[in-house]
């Protein structure tokens, strides 16, 4: 069973930075695309970053482009999300997920989810 576990969330002031980490057990990590999603209260879950196998491709929505960076370490079965210049609207629960394909930017290709880590950005 593939199981992602996130860490690194917390409370930060606007303009600050956080680095989220996700370790994945089970499955074949190096053959799987990875993604970070977030869900704020009352809103749908949305992709904030995706990375392909071998880190060839990455994808960010306009809302985080230039501020967030996704990276993976296949030797450690880990994926990271560096978040800079945080804004109050970035407040959400952030989830790491494993794709069924080598690269995926659509939620429907992700089917292994962690519990999430809370990120709160104060103004």
């Amino acid at each position: 069973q593939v199981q992602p576990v996130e860490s690194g969330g917390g409370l930060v002031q606007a303009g600050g930075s956080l680095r989220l980490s996700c370790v994945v057990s089970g499955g074949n990590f190096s053959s799987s695309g990875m993604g970070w999603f977030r869900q704020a209260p009352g809103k749908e879950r949305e992709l904030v970053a995706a990375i392909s196998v071998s880190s060839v491709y990455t994808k960010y929505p306009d809302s985080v482009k230039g501020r967030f960076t996704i990276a993976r370490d296949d030797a450690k079965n880990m994926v990271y999300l560096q978040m800079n210049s945080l804004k109050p609207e970035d407040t959400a629960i952030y989830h790491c997920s494993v794709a069924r394909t080598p690269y995926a930017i659509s939620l429907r290709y992700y089917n292994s989810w962690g519990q999430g880590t809370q990120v709160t950005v104060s103004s």
Side-chain angles (χ1 to χ4, degrees), residues 56-120:
V56 175
Y57 303 107
T58 57
K59 177 73 174 180
Y60 307 92
D62 289 343
S63 58
V64 308
K65 195 173 294 182
R67 300 189 297 121
F68 289 12
T69 302
I70 189 171
R72 64 188 296 159
D73 184 341
D74 290 349
K76 297 180 179 179
N77 280 19
M78 294 197 72
V79 62
Y80 306 95
L81 184 67
Q82 178 66 44
M83 305 186 296
N84 299 327
S85 302
L86 282 162
K87 304 176 181 180
E89 52 263 42
D90 293 320
T91 295
I93 297 175
Y94 283 70
H95 297 270
C96 168
S97 188
V98 183
R100 298 195 298 274
T101 56
Y103 179 53
I105 60 173
S106 175
L107 183 66
R108 65 179 179 269
Y109 292 105
Y110 289 86
N111 58 1
S112 297
W113 296 90
Q115 295 283 352
T117 185
Q118 176 71 47
V119 172
T120 303

